[in-house]
Structures are given as C-alpha cells and as structure tokens.
C-alpha cells in the first residue's frame, strides 16, 4: 500500500523495519519471512517508476560521476535496471593492502564461499562451479583466437539470461501475512528513543507531503552506498555528527565501479567468433571473460583490483540506423 493509505500517523511496532526494496532489502525480507517476526518494508518509489520519484535519484558528485540509474526509486530498486552481471570477489579484494590505511575486511573469501553457493541456489545467480576451471572457461577453445597472457589473469562475469527483478521475483514473499510493504515512503531520518542509544523509529514522507512514524525494534538500511550514508548523516538526535558517525567515518569509504572506454586493440586479421571474450549465452547465463592484473602484479605495483573487457567492433558499429534498431 502507499504510505498515504496508512491509518494514523504511526505504524507498528514491528520487529524489523527494512528500508529499501532492492536486492539487499528484498533478500533480508525473503530470508526472515515465516520466522514469526512482524516485518515492514519501506520503499521510496512505487510499483512502477514515476517522474516524482525519478527526481529523487539525482545527486551532485565531483570526480567519479554517479549515474542516476544506479539509484532507482521503485519496487525492486537497482535490480530493475541492473542486469545482474556479477563475479565472486577475489581473495585479494578482502585482504589488507599494506600501502592503504584502513584496508582489508573482517572476512575472507573462504568464509564467503558457502554463502555464494546458497545465493546461487536461492536467487538465480550462477553456481560457483561456473566460475571455476571447467565452467564458463570451457568456451575459451571455441573462438578463432586463443591468446596467452603474461602478468594477467582471466575473470568471468555472468548474469542470469533473464535478469532478476527482486520486486517481481519476491512478490509472493512481499504479499505474505507477516510483511507490510509501504510504497511512496521516503525515509527522511531515523530517531532514537529518549534515554536510550537505540533507534526506535523512522520518519517517512509521501509524495503528497504526509509524514508517518514507523516504529520497530530493529532497522536494516538497504538503500545503497550513497543513501545509507546520507540517512545516517541526516539522523542526528543520537549523535550530533550523524548516527554511527562518532569517528567521522560514515560516508568516507564509498564503493563504486567506474568504467569507461580505454582504447582500441588492432588485430593482424579480423576475428569472427570469440564468444568467451566477446560474450555469449552459456547454460542459461549471459557472460564474458575480462582480464585483471594477477595478485602478484597488484601487490608489486600497489594497485587495486580492476578489469578490462573486449567489446567487438562490427562493420555496422556506430551506424545510426543499427543503433536505433538496437
């Protein structure tokens, strides 16, 4: 229901209130539904995109450009625009980097591995075996070219051929008796209970300007790297610098994956077929292989992980007619 349909100015109390209905928020609700908890899910947008909610995606950024489409305000969040292309993190991505202060995660790749397998089984992501030798790389031998690399490693990226829309795929869960989904509910801030150090309510506003308090024993912020930080910084009653920001760290470690076109590779003769690198469908997944610096190169050059991929140029590339058709 839309927030304007709420009776009164207060909702709850809930056991848990999840803010954001994208892949993170929808997964939390799906995993906890049926566990005897009363759940609320707050989504800024509606079932479909609207001009008003699209305006709320806008952000000013310096340096790395932030795309509006990376911050969808609609049921399903970024999964409505993201194709689901993914690859497991490498072990080195989680390790401390001696040349970077505060680097490293309190998790290892080995600890994540069983969860990658569960995620694949429950949410239509590729099974870990497809990324391992003998998986997607079996297509390597089927192209016109089998290159060899020095100081580089190949890395597969795969997505379900029919992308996951978490609002659509978790529809049955969101319609469940223990879940209240409130649409057009833009959360302005979180507030604590006087005399405690715990968040007890979220203040949400509809497009029409109506404000409603949503009370819960616990809250999950699942609104993405920018919105999570913004909400914490805007919630100041428990900490004048922003909720959880006693050490001035909230919003300081934005994760992003900037990308751009960087040059052309000219081959001695044209390549007509290179599915492993150019991309193809394989066992129900769309994917391709990119190239990353080996762990040894990253450590020796003090560089972070990244990758390049090849995109083919066809005789019709840049044809306005063909681009319009696509």
């Amino acid at each position: 229901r839309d927030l304007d349909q709420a009776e009164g100015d207060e909702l709850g109390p809930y056991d848990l209130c999840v803010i954001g209905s994208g892949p993170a928020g929808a997964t939390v609700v799906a995993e906890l539904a049926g566990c005897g908890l009363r759940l609320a899910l707050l989504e800024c947008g509606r079932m479909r995109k609207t001009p008003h909610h699209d305006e709320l995606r806008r952000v000013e950024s310096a340096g790395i450009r932030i795309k509006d489409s990376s911050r969808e305000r609609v049921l399903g969040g970024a999964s409505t625009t993201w194709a689901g292309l993914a690859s497991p993190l490498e072990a080195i991505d989680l390790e401390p980097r001696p040349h970077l202060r505060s680097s490293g995660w309190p998790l290892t790749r080995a600890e994540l591995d069983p969860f990658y397998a569960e995620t694949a089984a429950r949410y239509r992501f590729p099974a870990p075996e497809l990324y391992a030798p003998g998986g997607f790389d079996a297509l390597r031998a089927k192209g016109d070219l089998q290159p060899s690399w020095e100081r580089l490693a190949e890395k597969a990226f795969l997505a379900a051929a029919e992308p996951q829309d978490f609002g659509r795929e978790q529809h049955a869960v969101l319609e469940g008796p223990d879940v209240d989904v409130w649409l057009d509910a833009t959360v302005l801030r979180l507030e604590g209970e006087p005399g405690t150090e715990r968040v007890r309510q979220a203040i949400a506003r509809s497009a029409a300007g109506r404000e409603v308090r949503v009370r819960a024993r616990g809250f999950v912020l699942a609104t993405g790297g920018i919105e999570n930080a913004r909400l914490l910084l805007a919630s100041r009653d428990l900490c004048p610098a922003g909720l959880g920001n006693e050490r001035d760290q909230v919003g300081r470690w934005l994760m992003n994956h900037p990308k751009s076109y960087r040059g052309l590779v000219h081959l001695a003769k044209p390549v007509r077929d290179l599915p492993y690198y150019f991309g193809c469908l394989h066992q129900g997944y769309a994917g391709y292989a990119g190239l990353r610096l080996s762990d040894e190169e990253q450590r020796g050059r003090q560089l972070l992980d990244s990758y390049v991929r090849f995109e083919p140029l066809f005789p019709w590339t840049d044809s306005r007619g063909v681009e319009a058709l696509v």
Side-chain angles (χ1 to χ4, degrees):
R1 290 178 290 170
D2 279 4
L3 189 67
D4 280 338
Q5 296 175 333
E7 298 176 4
D9 295 331
E10 181 172 305
L11 295 170
Y14 294 98
D15 292 305
L16 189 71
C17 175
V18 178
I19 303 172
S21 68
T27 299
V28 171
V29 172
E31 292 295 314
L32 293 178
C35 292
L37 301 175
R38 189 181 178 205
L39 307 172
L41 177 64
L42 304 184
E43 168 53 49
C44 169
R46 289 193 166 105
M47 296 284 287
R48 293 176 177 81
K49 297 173 69 171
T50 72
H52 170 81
H53 297 98
D54 279 353
E55 277 294 303
L56 296 178
R57 303 179 307 172
R58 296 174 61 185
V59 62
E60 295 180 9
S61 59
I64 296 175
R65 176 175 169 263
I66 306 297
K67 292 183 178 180
D68 291 346
S69 61
S70 67
R71 300 152 39 75
E72 296 293 359
R73 303 293 186 108
V74 67
L75 187 69
S79 71
T80 62
T81 191
W82 172 55
L85 194 69
S87 189
L89 292 169
E90 301 291 336
I92 194 173
D93 296 330
L94 300 158
E95 296 171 1
R97 308 270 187 157
H99 57 283
L100 285 180
R101 69 182 182 90
S102 302
S103 63
W105 288 79
L107 292 164
T108 65
R109 169 63 192 269
E111 289 175 283
L112 289 178
D113 279 341
F115 297 103
Y116 280 137
E118 284 191 46
T119 299
R122 297 189 197 185
Y123 297 99
R124 291 204 303 118
F125 284 93
E129 300 81 59
L130 271 178
Y131 296 101
F136 183 71
D137 67 359
L139 294 175
R140 199 179 191 281
K142 295 190 176 182
D144 295 344
L145 193 64
Q146 282 81 45
S148 60
W149 313 106
E150 295 180 5
R151 297 177 294 188
L152 295 173
E154 296 175 346
K155 185 174 179 66
F157 292 81
L158 300 169
E162 177 63 29
Q164 300 96 326
D165 180 329
F166 278 74
R168 183 183 67 239
E169 299 204 2
Q170 301 305 323
H171 183 82
V173 170
L174 302 183
E175 289 280 5
D178 52 350
V179 182
D180 289 345
V181 179
W182 295 100
L183 304 174
D184 187 29
T186 301
V187 176
L188 306 180
R189 62 188 180 277
L190 303 167
E191 293 183 345
E193 193 167 36
T196 74
E197 294 185 354
R198 295 190 63 84
V199 172
R200 288 305 185 198
Q201 63 185 21
I203 308 301
R205 178 185 290 170
S206 72
R210 182 185 176 194
E211 292 190 9
V212 175
R213 297 187 303 276
V214 184
R215 296 183 59 79
R217 291 195 297 123
F219 290 82
V220 171
L221 294 189
T223 60
I226 293 175
E227 285 300 308
N228 279 354
R230 187 192 66 76
L231 268 175
L232 292 172
L233 294 173
S235 306
R236 297 177 176 270
D237 66 330
L238 292 180
C239 176
L243 189 62
N245 198 32
E246 290 84 357
R247 294 177 176 82
D248 192 36
Q249 295 299 293
V250 172
R252 297 291 186 195
W253 306 95
L254 175 67
M255 293 178 68
N256 201 352
H257 54 106
K259 57 184 179 181
S260 64
Y261 291 97
R262 302 299 294 179
L264 293 169
V265 176
H266 295 275
L267 302 176
K269 61 180 181 178
V271 169
R272 298 184 60 85
D273 190 32
L274 206 60
Y276 180 60
Y277 296 105
F278 288 169
C280 64
L281 289 172
H282 180 66
Q283 296 185 14
Y285 296 96
Y288 59 79
L291 299 174
R292 58 186 286 273
L293 289 174
S294 69
D295 291 358
E296 293 73 20
E297 284 294 305
Q298 289 184 48
R299 293 189 181 101
R301 296 173 180 267
Q302 297 188 346
L303 293 173
L304 295 175
D305 213 348
S306 61
Y307 79 97
V308 297
R309 65 162 297 190
F310 302 119
E311 290 192 359
L313 290 173
F314 299 98
W316 46 260
T317 295
D318 295 330
S319 162
R320 293 179 63 187
V322 173
E323 289 296 329
L325 177 64
V326 171

